[in-house]
Amino acid sequence: TASIESLEPQTGRFYSCSMNNQSSGEQAGFYNCTFNTSSRSEGNWSIRLNSSRDEGATNKFNLNSTIYSQRFFLNNTALVNATVPAVSPTSGGWSRLYNFTVQLNDTEGDNLTCVLWLNRTGLFEIVANGTVQNALASTTCSVAGRFFDQSAIGTTRNFIFQLHDNENNNTFNTSTFTGPTITESNVQVILSAGNASNVNRSGSNSTLFIVLVNDTENGTAVPNANVTFFVTTDGAAFDSGTPNVTNSTGYANISFNPSCSYAVGVQNWYAGVRDANYVDVNSTNFTMTNVGNFNLTIQTPAGEEYVRGANVTIRGNVTAECGGLISDATVNFTYVSITYLNSFSCSPVLG
């Protein structure tokens, strides 16, 4: 009985070989085998021949095992990057996901690894790696992630791929490639509360405006973003704004307490992101109704005595709580007898 084994140089491990005998065309006493070298290490391999005679055989031979050192060199062909590495998108916000890719193939079908080295601070550093299984045909090796922060805004970064298969000697680096260019991230401002609200302008009354800031580059709420709320003062012209900051869940709000600078009636309001880390963006316009108070003053009579039967002219004015006469108010005058408690209306009322 004969067997043939191959000795791996790096590990000293023996691998069996599928035997062929006379049925494969060999002459009597000659043997061959087929050794599958897929995924085996590069180097000088040795061969061990083992032979023995069956117990029932007429002729008796001693067992024999002979090693033939470095009988063949196994060459592991290096992988090839079939395309120029790329990053997608080539430009975008700092908070988004970037996908770095390179096309690889390996004539021996090895498992391949692409290691991404990224220059974020002036020095290249490993950030992540990707793998490809059985890369006989051209296959994409990709590394994707959110690798940047606000400090990268306004810069264009560089990257390198380190590529290798199962053989350390086949490790190599690509050239340095440019990209991506990092910008402020895009966001949107979404209404949460305060549209079509009402507030009385008098005293310390207020209404609550709430918005959510969402990062459209990665689909998450934005904490610690500067947001400013703007309200019209006359239905058309907006004020200079009231700033606030989003909380940990991305919400920003103000309690709007209108002063006398804001006219009564329907006013518009909106919220806008004003932050160096994000593209300036505004919400759509919403509405609120500013309600004022009337101040009523009787000017005449002012305590005078009139003869029964004489006409008494009652004269007064209507002003807003913030001052200013109101010319389009609907006014009724009612006078009451202190003695008899009778009430009477005075008409017509002229303005």
Side-chain angles (χ1 to χ4, degrees), residues 150-161:
Q150 300 93 321
S151 65
I153 293 173
T155 66
T156 298
R157 313 316 297 171
N158 300 311
F159 69 96
I160 293 172
F161 270 118

Side-chain angles (χ1 to χ4, degrees), residues 211-214 221-224 227 246-252:
V211 295
L212 171 67
V213 178
N214 181 60
V222 179
N224 303 315
V227 179
T246 56
N247 62 17
S248 60
T249 57
Y251 287 92

Side-chain angles (χ1 to χ4, degrees), residues 277-289:
N277 297 323
Y278 302 97
V279 176
D280 287 356
V281 65
N282 297 329
S283 69
T284 56
N285 283 355
F286 309 111
T287 64
M288 55 82 60
T289 300

Side-chain angles (χ1 to χ4, degrees), residues 3 48 74 87 130 141 187 189 191 193 201 250 259 284 303 309 311 317 319 329 331 337:
S3 65
R48 182 167 68 182
L74 181 60
V87 58
C141 189
V187 295
V189 183
L191 174 71
R201 187 173 61 177
S259 67
T284 56
N311 289 331
N317 62 42
T319 60
V331 178
S337 169

Side-chain angles (χ1 to χ4, degrees), residues 21-38:
N21 52 25
Q22 286 83 354
S23 63
S24 66
E26 286 288 0
Q27 300 178 30
F30 286 83
Y31 301 85
N32 68 59
C33 71
T34 302
F35 177 50
N36 184 356
T37 62
S38 298

